[in-house]
Amino acid sequence: MGNPTTLLTTLRAVNTVVAIRPWRVLASASWVGILLCQVAVAVSSRNIGKSAWWLGPESNPQFPLVWALPFAITIAGLIATQRPRKYTLFIHLGCVVALVGVAIGDLGNAPGVALLEFVLAGIALLVAFVSLAARP
């Protein structure tokens, strides 16, 4: 038998080097997919004439920093995926809560857009659960 400390260190090395890479690629692709879907939701909502609250109507658009809010949330999840830490799960869950908040803002004016945003938040929740498997 080897030294238990050495075995534990080797196990950690295997988990961080081998197991996290495929997870990181999958989670990164998922966050990028969520980002692209948010772009599609923004364009579609403008095209149908029921803009998301964070876009505002075409005649009176929101301030550009408000436009960036849902995208910044998703980019935060992507960045947390690139640098996995013990608190990555909490960052992902925070991103999910923020995306749900964005979707709630559209319930009154554009329920169809809100439904799409809730679906994206659900996908982000699934990515957060996947991050449990690769938790360092």
Side-chain angles (χ1 to χ4, degrees), residues 24-130:
R24 192 181 304 164
V25 170
L26 177 65
S28 298
S30 300
W31 282 110
V32 169
I34 292 169
L35 185 68
L36 293 175
C37 287
Q38 285 177 326
V39 171
V41 167
V43 170
S44 299
S45 70
R46 274 289 168 101
N47 287 342
I48 63 172
K50 291 194 170 210
S51 293
W53 69 266
W54 44 273
L55 289 173
E58 252 182 292
S59 60
N60 186 20
Q62 289 280 9
F63 188 66
L65 288 178
V66 178
W67 290 359
L69 182 65
F71 304 110
I73 294 166
T74 306
I75 290 170
L78 179 62
I79 291 170
T81 301
Q82 298 305 310
R83 300 195 44 119
R85 301 282 185 253
K86 292 179 181 177
Y87 50 82
T88 300
L89 173 66
F90 300 111
I91 294 172
H92 285 174
L93 292 176
C95 291
V96 169
V97 169
L99 288 173
V100 167
V102 168
I104 288 173
D106 282 322
L107 276 176
N109 186 35
V113 173
L115 176 65
L116 292 174
E117 291 171 339
F118 278 123
V119 168
L120 291 177
I123 294 169
L125 182 63
L126 293 175
V127 175
F129 286 146
V130 168

Side-chain angles (χ1 to χ4, degrees), residues 13-24 133-134:
V14 167
N15 284 338
T16 56
V17 174
V18 177
I20 289 180
R21 285 187 183 156
W23 165 83
R24 192 181 304 164

